Amino acid sequence: VRGNNDRMFLAKRFPDPEADLRLKAVLNDLINVEKFTIEELVYRCNMGPKNTDNGRAFDAVLRAIADHKLTANRKALIDYPTVLGLPE
């Protein structure tokens, strides 16, 4: 939990409006999809290869989780295979 909170705090501390807008567009395109992984979202954001985008898409996902725009099990490690959902 502490590691997740630390990473969400750091992601929120260094905003990236471009990455956040790209993630928002990807989330708006999801139709009839209840669950998805962080890896799927990062891939769909298409901000470049996973290691060369400096984690921008991943940080955008962390900010969305912190802002309750995405749901995740915060008691488990939040990483690329983490399954997410949209809030009800």
Side-chain angles (χ1 to χ4, degrees), residues 9-77:
F9 172 76
L10 288 173
K12 292 286 289 176
R13 191 167 176 207
F14 300 103
D16 184 346
E18 180 185 347
D20 293 341
L21 283 174
R22 185 65 196 128
L23 177 62
K24 184 177 179 180
V26 167
L27 293 174
N28 286 338
D29 286 343
L30 294 176
I31 299 173
N32 297 324
V33 179
E34 294 181 21
K35 301 288 181 184
F36 36 84
T37 66
I38 291 177
E39 187 169 22
E40 290 175 276
L41 293 179
V42 168
Y43 177 77
R44 289 179 185 210
C45 282
N46 197 23
M47 299 191 77
K50 185 165 54 173
N51 294 329
T52 60
D53 77 342
N54 294 320
R56 292 176 65 205
F58 186 83
D59 284 348
V61 171
L62 288 175
R63 286 189 290 275
I65 294 168
D67 293 340
H68 303 285
K69 295 176 184 174
L70 293 171
T71 60
N73 178 0
R74 293 180 181 217
K75 294 180 181 178
L77 176 67

